[in-house]
Amino acid sequence: MGKIDVHHHIIPAFYHDVLSSAKIPVGTSIPSWSPEASLDLMDKFQIDAAILSLSAPGAMIAGGRDEVRTLATNWNDYASKLRAASPEKFGFFAALPGLLDTEGAIAEIKHALMDLKADGITLFTSYGNKYLGAKEFEPIWAELDRHHAVIHVHPVQSREPMFTTPFLPQPLIDFPHESTRTASDLVLSGRKRQYPRCKVILSHGGGTLPYIAERLAKLGETIFRGVLEEKSPRGDQIMEDLKSFYFDSAISGSANVLDTLLNWAPRDRLLYGTDFPFAGGLEEYFDTALEDYDMDDKLRELYYRDNALTLFPRLRALLG
């Protein structure tokens, strides 16, 4: 059964150079990448197509506004050319210059979705000290909603100082929590319900969201009801909105994660992902764990392929 990988990163040479010069602490060394490496991995794990994306820290690492905008556009143009060379193998989530640059973000959304016909958009869990439900981001959500956009949300390192130790680099522990925080912010702010035509994918099985969803929904409508706003969901709407996300399997194919996720998430919200090449060589470990996990054939088809083909009609037309 050919899989569709919705969490697959690329590192063009120009982006690798920016990361190297910035000396950003990503928790591991910057992996090497080439188009051939992606195709080799896809062949090894029976992946028919991969939706390519820019990983953290994203275009914002370039520094100034103009440099950030240029880096996002250059990455999108590069990914578009990769897809044009192998349209049945590759799609791409377009990069944005960052949501704090409203004008630049909206311009790049239009360029990516209207000119390049990108398969979707990458957003990061936070920008500055704001999660994705922030009021300041409403114009961007409105533009994404207008395009019925598919959005892949990837965790990024928090810019707020926090207690940590050398043994707890943020990608190890905080990335799953950042996904949970921004998803919760989207739901409790009412933004998820406000823009229902946006189809939002959470990385890494939704982080810790499936584990704490019941707590979030029940406490959100009772003890902490006072923090909700007029547009916020109420009662059963909170859980309904939490379950409206999609969840990729990148670095999340182990049984302890799947036991919780599959018991909670709707079957049509599950997507396959590898996190190549940032999985540190663990793609095989998690792919094998997912393959060995006991699930019925229909669910496996949905997880590996059919749910993604529903999200990406261009690939459905090519792959059937």
Side-chain angles (χ1 to χ4, degrees):
M1 181 193 313
K3 303 164 186 167
I4 311 297
D5 183 359
V6 305
H7 193 143
H8 191 115
H9 300 300
I10 63 171
I11 313 170
F14 61 85
Y15 184 57
H16 190 284
D17 290 345
V18 173
L19 288 176
S20 298
S21 62
K23 297 182 173 60
I24 195 74
V26 296
T28 60
S29 59
I30 303 167
S32 60
W33 173 84
S34 68
E36 294 74 23
S38 282
L39 291 169
D40 287 346
L41 178 108
M42 293 165 65
D43 183 63
K44 180 176 182 179
F45 296 123
Q46 298 180 305
I47 297 168
D48 281 350
I51 311 297
L52 311 175
S53 59
L54 180 66
S55 187
M60 293 77 70
I61 194 62
R65 188 195 70 173
D66 292 344
E67 291 80 7
V68 169
R69 289 181 176 184
T70 298
L71 181 56
T73 299
N74 288 347
W75 190 95
N76 292 337
D77 291 343
Y78 179 90
S80 178
K81 290 175 183 176
L82 269 184
R83 186 187 63 181
S86 302
E88 75 289 350
K89 284 292 185 183
F90 294 132
F92 73 100
F93 292 116
L96 297 185
L99 302 199
L100 297 176
D101 177 9
T102 303
E103 179 184 356
I106 290 177
E108 195 61 37
I109 289 168
K110 291 178 178 178
H111 169 62
L113 297 181
M114 298 174 69
D115 299 334
L116 300 181
K117 308 297 182 186
D119 298 278
I121 298 288
T122 292
L123 294 183
F124 293 107
T125 46
S126 63
Y127 295 87
N129 62 351
K130 299 182 185 300
Y131 289 110
L132 293 179
K135 289 183 179 179
E136 293 88 340
F137 301 153
E138 284 196 58
I140 296 167
W141 280 109
E143 183 67 24
L144 292 167
D145 191 68
R146 186 169 74 84
H147 291 282
H148 299 231
V150 179
I151 298 150
H152 188 255
V153 177
H154 195 282
V156 69
Q157 290 184 241
S158 169
R159 293 181 61 180
E160 289 296 297
M162 62 179 66
F163 173 77
T164 187
T165 80
F167 309 108
L168 300 177
Q170 287 199 30
L172 182 64
I173 298 294
D174 289 288
F175 271 21
H177 296 309
E178 287 297 286
S179 293
T180 303
R181 291 185 183 105
T182 209
S184 303
D185 191 53
L186 278 170
V187 168
L188 295 179
S189 67
R191 226 63 71 212
K192 187 72 172 66
R193 183 165 289 259
Q194 187 178 354
Y195 300 108
R197 294 180 295 186
C198 292
K199 296 166 281 290
V200 182
I201 304 167
L202 300 178
S203 298
H204 311 128
T208 57
L209 187 66
Y211 187 81
I212 70 162
E214 198 78 20
R215 172 190 176 94
L216 183 67
K218 293 304 180 184
L219 270 63
E221 66 176 317
T222 54
I223 298 173
F224 298 107
R225 189 182 184 95
V227 307
L228 301 182
E229 299 180 348
E230 183 180 345
K231 293 179 180 178
S232 299
R234 296 294 193 273
D236 292 342
Q237 292 177 337
I238 297 176
M239 184 63 79
E240 180 182 326
D241 289 355
L242 291 172
K243 289 190 174 187
S244 71
F245 291 106
Y246 292 81
F247 307 90
D248 79 39
S249 69
I251 319 184
S252 304
S254 55
N256 61 318
V257 175
L258 293 171
D259 284 347
T260 301
L261 180 62
L262 299 187
N263 186 53
W264 177 76
R267 291 164 67 101
D268 64 350
R269 300 285 157 161
L270 305 170
L271 299 166
Y272 177 83
T274 62
D275 213 344
F276 179 79
F278 284 95
L282 290 172
E283 297 90 352
E284 184 167 6
Y285 174 86
F286 286 104
D287 185 83
T288 300
L290 186 58
E291 289 281 350
D292 291 344
Y293 190 83
D294 184 26
M295 67 177 80
D296 63 75
D297 291 343
K298 179 58 179 175
L299 177 56
R300 197 172 296 277
E301 289 174 8
L302 291 170
Y303 211 154
Y304 284 5
R305 184 182 184 88
D306 289 353
N307 289 340
L309 291 180
T310 299
L311 276 181
F312 304 108
R314 184 190 65 81
L315 282 179
R316 176 176 286 279
L318 290 171
L319 301 178

